[in-house]
Amino acid sequence: MKSDSSVWHPNTQMSEWTKFPEIVSAKGMWLYDSKGGKMLDGVASMWCNVWGHSKSELVSEIIKQTKILQHTALFNLTHSSAENLSKKLINLNPKMHSTFFSDNGSTAMEIALKIALQYWRNIGENKKTNIATLENGYHGDTFGAMSVGYVPEFFSKFRSKLFSTLKFPVPRGFRIPKKMTVNEYQEQCVAKIEEKLEKDDSIAAFVMESGAQMAGGVIIYPKNFQNQISKICKKNNVLFVLDEIATGFGRLGSMIEYKKQNSTPDIVSFGKMLTGGYQTFAATLTTKKITESFLGEFSDMKHLFHGHTYTGNPTAAALSLKNLEMYEKFDLINKIQKTSKIFESRVGDIYNLDLVGDIRHKGMVMGIELVHDKKSNKPISFSQSINKVVFEEGRKNQIYFRTLGNIIMLVPPLAISQKDLNFLIDGTIKTIKSLSKKLS
Ligand SMILES: Cc1ncc(COP(=O)(O)O)c(C=O)c1O
């Protein structure tokens, strides 16, 4: 490693970095570094920040709860933070019945998978052991999550140790097969799923991100796609498992995205924005039918074989409850819908840039796909990683970027003001223009 620090950074070629900017504090939308510089948090600190940094109500809640009860296990015990948060989550998801808490999105998805697989064993349907999913999805970095959310660029090194899944293409408007309209492509994608689920009675669950694939490059599902899969699952006795970790709680413009999509999951996971982006926490919710299948005599061994040290941590749970209450108090979803229009109104400005091949936007996320030139649509490339180049150029314009391959992700804190959002978009435009000079 070139850096003199012993910290190994996530998804990072460490040899590219001699020093990482050191963030010493953050307030509102801004991250402040040790050299007196500042950057607007263009990725909501990995898509989780809701209100901006150092929001006093949330900080106070952490302090308040920390003074009373910092951590106690949920093994044999309970506490009001977990109880009240679960009630709130069920309130937001009235078709759900129980909440299993965990530490991060990946574990929330591992739990969803284990619950789905064990459900069929609990009710004696031992044949149902396969998982169906969409190509290009992402559900986290642990082995189960990698198996269902296989992004080849990320996970090919581990492929031999991943369990196999049935993968179906996802409809998108960019780079679709030649001589097909987007609608025809969507119909073909849905037909493939329907055909397989009708024939194959070994499928335990269909797992997908709700509303859009985020890490797969902001692939926003066309209208009715999720709803059609939901119906196909119900018709064919396959559990429908949704991942709202990155897309729920307002990121795509609605509090609960699956409701907007007119779809009904049997199991759904939330994370990221759950704590407002201040602590690590996640939740997996299940319907009554699923929860009750785990009941029986102890000797039946039907209970869920899963638990983490910090499952249901009181500080994170109290913080999450406070955060969700603030969504209502400040009518955040309404505000997001208004702010999102700024994104929409600026699409043309960004699309006009030479290096922009495609833009995908919904709610408070925008994916800007960089290409070498508009004619060939070849992905952009530099001698260094695209992320490093974009990050450094962005820093000059006071924006913190973290790209996904050749896609610039604009994922600001949800409560960003219209003025700050325009600052982010102006800085993005300046950054993309400056990239032209760096092309190899
Ligand atoms: C849709 C989705 N699911 C799961 C995860 C994993 O969450 P975590 O990074 O908290 O483990 C992510 C992370 O980006 C995600 O986008």
Side-chain angles (χ1 to χ4, degrees):
M1 293 181 197
K2 269 198 198 161
S3 162
D4 54 7
S5 151
S6 55
V7 176
W8 194 338
H9 290 251
N11 288 316
T12 298
Q13 176 43 264
M14 294 295 287
S15 74
E16 281 193 339
W17 299 76
T18 44
K19 232 174 176 34
F20 292 87
E22 185 188 347
I23 299 304
V24 289
S25 66
K27 177 104 185 121
M29 303 298 132
W30 296 91
L31 305 170
Y32 296 92
D33 68 32
S34 55
K35 298 266 165 67
K38 63 173 191 174
M39 286 184 283
L40 190 141
D41 189 351
V43 289
S45 293
M46 283 329 279
W47 316 346
C48 61
N49 192 294
V50 174
W51 303 98
H53 298 268
S54 303
K55 185 80 178 166
S56 59
E57 291 94 325
L58 295 183
V59 175
S60 301
E61 189 62 30
I62 297 172
I63 296 168
K64 186 175 126 200
Q65 180 59 42
T66 306
K67 283 185 179 164
I68 304 168
L69 178 66
Q70 310 74 48
H71 180 62
T72 173
L74 278 188
F75 296 82
N76 293 353
L77 304 171
T78 193
H79 52 76
S80 62
S81 304
E83 294 290 343
N84 292 338
L85 176 60
S86 179
K87 274 192 205 132
K88 179 81 191 163
L89 287 168
I90 300 299
N91 209 282
L92 288 168
N93 297 269
K95 292 199 172 144
M96 295 291 143
H97 182 267
S98 312
T99 313
F100 199 102
F101 290 113
S102 60
D103 309 344
N104 55 63
S106 308
T107 51
M109 287 311 293
E110 295 288 336
I111 291 160
L113 292 172
K114 283 173 75 173
I115 291 177
L117 291 170
Q118 196 181 323
Y119 164 78
W120 294 112
R121 298 295 294 264
N122 286 349
I123 64 165
E125 292 229 27
N126 294 339
K127 240 172 99 182
K128 281 190 171 287
T129 54
N130 279 324
I131 305 283
T133 182
L134 296 175
E135 285 170 3
N136 197 50
Y138 177 81
H139 301 286
D141 282 354
T142 50
F143 272 83
M146 286 195 288
S147 301
V148 285
Y150 185 74
V151 179
E153 295 83 359
F154 297 177
F155 302 140
S156 59
K157 309 284 188 300
F158 314 108
R159 186 166 197 157
S160 66
K161 296 293 173 230
L162 302 182
F163 62 76
S164 65
T165 56
L166 292 157
K167 291 198 170 51
F168 297 93
V170 58
R172 60 201 132 81
F174 191 59
R175 300 207 168 91
I176 61 170
K178 283 197 178 102
K179 293 187 193 147
M180 244 188 196
T181 65
V182 177
N183 275 352
E184 284 166 350
Y185 187 53
Q186 177 181 347
E187 275 169 28
Q188 190 190 69
C189 291
V190 173
K192 275 189 187 160
I193 295 169
E194 184 154 33
E195 208 178 293
K196 185 68 184 166
L197 266 55
E198 268 173 7
K199 267 199 254 146
D200 189 341
D201 58 4
S202 76
I203 302 173
F206 196 104
V207 181
M208 64 189 271
E209 285 157 85
S210 187
Q213 293 185 323
M214 287 280 282
V218 193
I219 310 296
I220 293 152
Y221 305 142
K223 200 163 176 257
N224 279 330
F225 177 64
Q226 185 164 320
N227 158 266
Q228 283 169 308
I229 300 183
S230 172
K231 282 190 187 143
I232 294 170
C233 285
K234 297 280 164 302
K235 197 169 138 212
N236 294 289
N237 206 20
V238 170
L239 297 181
F240 190 42
V241 178
L242 285 177
D243 177 344
E244 292 228 357
I245 289 154
T247 52
F249 296 153
R251 179 56 66 196
L252 294 185
S254 33
M255 189 65 186
I256 305 292
E257 180 59 23
Y258 70 75
K259 291 187 191 171
K260 185 87 189 163
Q261 299 280 342
N262 224 345
S263 61
T264 323
D266 298 285
I267 303 172
V268 59
S269 295
F270 298 95
K272 293 209 188 261
M273 275 103 31
L274 179 58
T275 63
Y278 289 10
Q279 288 198 356
T280 169
F281 207 50
T284 305
L285 275 62
T286 58
T287 59
K288 193 167 185 212
K289 172 184 92 172
I290 305 275
T291 313
E292 287 187 343
S293 79
F294 285 75
L295 304 178
E297 298 294 325
F298 177 74
S299 54
D300 296 341
M301 287 295 168
K302 280 185 170 181
H303 56 282
L304 180 63
F305 290 86
H306 197 95
H308 296 284
T309 309
Y310 289 104
T311 291
N313 172 265
T315 331
L319 172 64
S320 301
L321 184 59
K322 181 56 133 191
N323 173 45
L324 294 178
E325 284 168 356
M326 283 168 62
Y327 270 72
E328 283 158 28
K329 186 172 164 198
F330 296 108
D331 200 7
L332 184 63
I333 297 300
N334 209 356
K335 179 177 166 73
I336 287 171
Q337 283 164 1
K338 287 189 187 133
T339 320
S340 163
K341 294 210 168 81
I342 302 283
F343 260 135
E344 219 168 282
S345 68
R346 304 290 309 269
V347 167
D349 299 347
I350 306 171
Y351 191 68
N352 282 340
L353 302 171
D354 289 343
L355 300 184
V356 174
D358 193 38
I359 299 181
R360 274 97 60 185
H361 160 243
K362 187 169 181 188
M364 292 301 286
V365 58
M366 180 179 269
I368 305 168
E369 187 157 338
L370 299 177
V371 291
H372 189 272
D373 58 273
K374 281 193 200 280
K375 249 194 217 145
S376 71
N377 265 342
K378 239 178 43 192
I380 200 170
S381 69
F382 304 99
S383 52
Q384 278 185 309
S385 65
I386 298 168
N387 170 57
K388 182 89 184 339
V389 177
V390 173
F391 172 75
E392 277 172 359
E393 289 304 307
R395 211 174 160 213
K396 293 178 195 163
N397 298 311
Q398 296 189 305
I399 310 286
Y400 167 44
F401 287 117
R402 172 74 195 195
T403 67
L404 267 173
N406 65 326
I407 296 165
I408 294 187
M409 302 288 289
L410 301 187
V411 195
L414 296 174
I416 192 169
S417 68
Q418 301 194 357
K419 182 169 163 257
D420 283 342
L421 185 58
N422 274 315
F423 183 91
L424 170 65
I425 296 170
D426 291 338
T428 304
I429 291 173
K430 279 188 228 158
T431 304
I432 297 174
K433 279 186 179 161
S434 68
L435 294 177
S436 305
K437 292 176 218 129
K438 306 227 147 222
L439 281 179
S440 43

